Amino acid sequence: MTPLLTTKGLSRSFGGLRAVDKVDFTLMPGEIRAVIGPNGAGKTTFVSLISGRIQPSSGAIVFDGADITGLPTYARVRRGIAYTFQITSVFANLSVYDNVALPVQLTLSDRRSKAELRAGVISALERTGLADRTHMPAGQLSYGHQRLLEVAMGLALKPRLLILDEPTQGLADSEIDNFIELVRDIAKSATVLLIEHNMPVVMQLADRITVFNAGRILAEGTPEAIRENAAVQDAYLGTAP
């Protein structure tokens, strides 16, 4: 099977800090991959490079066989890469419906079709459990529900790769179980790359786990292999809450 995403020697420096350091990474279609590691390990910088929010200092990014290293974010979105931010970035003054309608419009062949637009919005909101909050201003949602709204906005793009950065942050325990089922449902039609500190969520969801430390990949493997890896325990799991 051909990888959906690969990075080759991917690096990003900020002044004298090498936030991502010569990372070779491969992601297969349909996979749920978790990226974990201590704060400052380079996880968010890495996925920001993939999404195009920042440009690499060196290295290459290949998506579906095409080199996308120099492409801007909007071009990557059109190719099927969607990214939800670590810090919520919803449009607080717009309704929940209108927040999702914006990305849905990018997927429509006829942007004047109100029926298609509504169907796309309602589908994304139903999948994320927000259909009963359609007309509420996004800024009035709880923080956890704003996180889910961001996921809905990502789903509205019909992505081939959905990148989720700390998606369970702010979710109540009762909402996390629903989120796990949501990601499993998403993975039926898209590949999921997940940055997450909640280790029970990671262990339940991930097919494979990539562990970052000091800008480099420390280890990769199944949840079972990562749990038993002594180097990972020393660098991260042993000090995780």
Side-chain angles (χ1 to χ4, degrees), residues 42 50 58 67 81 106 112 133 145 158 164 198 232:
I50 293 171
S58 60
D67 190 323
I81 299 176
L106 297 176
R112 296 169 296 179
R133 294 170 171 82
H145 285 150
K158 299 180 179 178
L164 302 172
N198 186 321
V232 174

Side-chain angles (χ1 to χ4, degrees), residues 29-97:
E31 189 176 357
I32 300 175
R33 176 74 67 88
V35 176
I36 68 172
N39 290 332
K43 305 181 299 295
T44 292
T45 301
F46 176 67
V47 296
S48 295
L49 290 168
I50 293 171
S51 68
R53 291 185 61 228
I54 57 177
Q55 291 297 308
S57 303
S58 60
I61 305 167
V62 176
F63 183 73
D64 194 25
D67 190 323
I68 63 168
T69 311
L71 291 184
T73 300
Y74 71 85
R76 301 186 196 203
V77 169
R78 289 175 179 169
R79 287 175 179 258
I81 299 176
Y83 176 43
T84 70
F85 294 88
Q86 185 177 18
I87 301 171
T88 55
S89 59
V90 301
F91 299 98
N93 294 326
L94 295 181
S95 69
V96 168
Y97 182 97

Side-chain angles (χ1 to χ4, degrees), residues 119-192:
V121 173
I122 296 303
S123 174
L125 291 178
E126 285 179 343
R127 291 179 75 182
T128 51
L130 296 174
D132 60 344
R133 294 170 171 82
T134 302
H135 301 295
M136 182 183 294
Q140 293 183 15
L141 293 174
S142 68
Y143 183 79
H145 285 150
Q146 288 186 35
R147 304 292 293 166
L148 290 174
L149 177 57
E150 273 211 319
V151 175
M153 293 165 70
L155 287 176
L157 293 167
K158 299 180 179 178
R160 299 177 63 194
L161 171 61
L162 179 61
I163 303 171
L164 302 172
D165 196 346
E166 301 285 0
T168 66
Q169 184 176 312
L171 295 185
D173 289 344
S174 58
E175 296 169 325
I176 287 178
D177 288 341
N178 291 333
F179 172 79
I180 289 171
E181 292 307 312
L182 170 62
V183 173
R184 287 175 175 157
D185 180 62
I186 293 170
K188 295 175 183 177
S189 59
T191 303
V192 178

